[in-house]
Amino acid sequence: MGAEAGVLRDAWRLAVGTLTVLRVAPPVVVDRRRAGIAMVLAPLAVAPLAVLVALVAWGAVELDVAPLVTGMVVVGVLALGTRALHLDGLADLADGLTASYDRERSLAVMKTGTAGPAGVAALVIVLGLQAAATGSLLASTGARGAVVVGVATCVSRAALSLCCLRGVPGARADGLGSTYVGSVAPVLTVLVWILAAAVAGVAVSWAGVGWWHGPLAVALALAAVCLVVLRAVRRLGGVTGDVFGACVEIAFAVVLVGVPVGAGLG
């Protein structure tokens, strides 16, 4: 029992320390088992950020701040709260996929850490979608929509369990993502996404939108993440830490876009 508690403690510290700016004690041991558990716990690990984002969104609605401005502030808070780690991955993946059809050249471009034209364009498009969709959601649902924005923050991290699914290869042997590659069992990945869909359904229903719009938005996010992972495997030979980050940001955007559409139709 004590050993298992130690594993969970290390996994939790790894998840929180990697995915947020919150200061936690470093894990005693970092191995593939702990890394896999950390990725399963990722939606819970970012709960403090989700609460902060929800409070910011709620305050903006109460103060009658313009929806787009609110969306941009929310996006900014999340960028600060994650050290822009996922945004860096999104930019690097876009640059790598557009740099060359040669695998090694693409991986080399992604490793430079600088943002080229494709990376900048990806950031503008995805962040723009996140901000605009957040504003649209809050305009449709009011203050209760703030909770949905917070839930979307957590739900988007379900993408990490799919990126780290056992059987998905890694593109390189080194790098931040190498320890996490293939570390999550399929049954846990399925469970994470089912729970994400259920929580999203409850949140959007409470906000006044048909409950099924939540699972639908999560399903669309799952499809988007699958496409990114498949593309990475075909072009790069596998996933990297940059692919993880890109999938989180894309999943967040898709969930946020999906729910306001449902609100408008409902």
Side-chain angles (χ1 to χ4, degrees):
M1 182 67 70
E4 290 302 314
V7 170
L8 288 174
R9 182 172 58 250
D10 282 346
W12 178 256
R13 291 173 176 176
L14 185 59
V16 175
T18 302
L19 301 176
T20 75
V21 296
L22 299 177
R23 292 188 176 185
V24 293
V28 177
V29 177
V30 176
D31 56 18
R32 191 170 297 276
R33 182 186 180 196
R34 288 166 173 80
I37 297 173
M39 295 299 94
V40 171
L41 294 175
L44 291 177
V46 298
L49 287 181
V51 171
L52 177 59
V53 164
L55 289 173
V56 169
W58 172 80
V61 171
E62 292 298 312
L63 293 172
D64 201 25
V65 177
L68 183 57
V69 174
T70 301
M72 293 178 69
V73 172
V74 165
V75 167
V77 168
L78 276 177
L80 291 174
T82 58
R83 306 185 194 88
L85 179 66
H86 308 312
L87 295 176
D88 179 68
L90 174 63
D92 286 346
L93 179 62
D95 284 331
L97 291 178
T98 57
S100 170
Y101 281 107
D102 178 72
R103 171 182 177 273
E104 295 302 326
R105 170 61 179 162
S106 293
L107 289 173
V109 168
M110 291 168 63
K111 203 170 184 178
T112 62
T114 58
V120 172
L123 289 174
V124 170
I125 293 170
V126 173
L127 289 176
L129 285 173
Q130 291 176 359
T134 297
S136 177
L137 171 62
L138 295 173
S140 300
T141 59
R144 289 196 174 195
V147 174
V148 180
V149 176
V151 168
T153 302
C154 294
V155 166
S156 64
R157 273 59 182 178
L160 295 170
S161 66
L162 180 57
C163 293
C164 300
L165 178 65
R166 190 176 300 160
V168 176
R172 56 166 71 100
D174 60 349
L176 178 63
S178 58
T179 304
Y180 300 88
V181 171
S183 61
V184 180
V187 64
L188 291 178
T189 298
V190 172
L191 180 60
V192 167
W193 281 95
I194 289 175
L195 290 175
V199 172
V202 172
V204 300
S205 178
W206 184 76
V209 183
W211 69 268
W212 60 273
H213 291 296
L216 175 60
V218 172
L220 292 174
L222 173 60
V225 172
C226 285
L227 288 175
V228 174
V229 170
L230 288 173
R231 183 59 174 166
V233 171
R234 288 189 61 185
R235 282 278 286 103
L236 307 174
V239 294
T240 68
D242 289 330
V243 176
F244 298 173
C247 286
V248 167
E249 294 296 340
I250 291 171
F252 186 52
V254 172
V255 171
L256 287 172
V257 168
V259 176
V261 169
L265 293 177

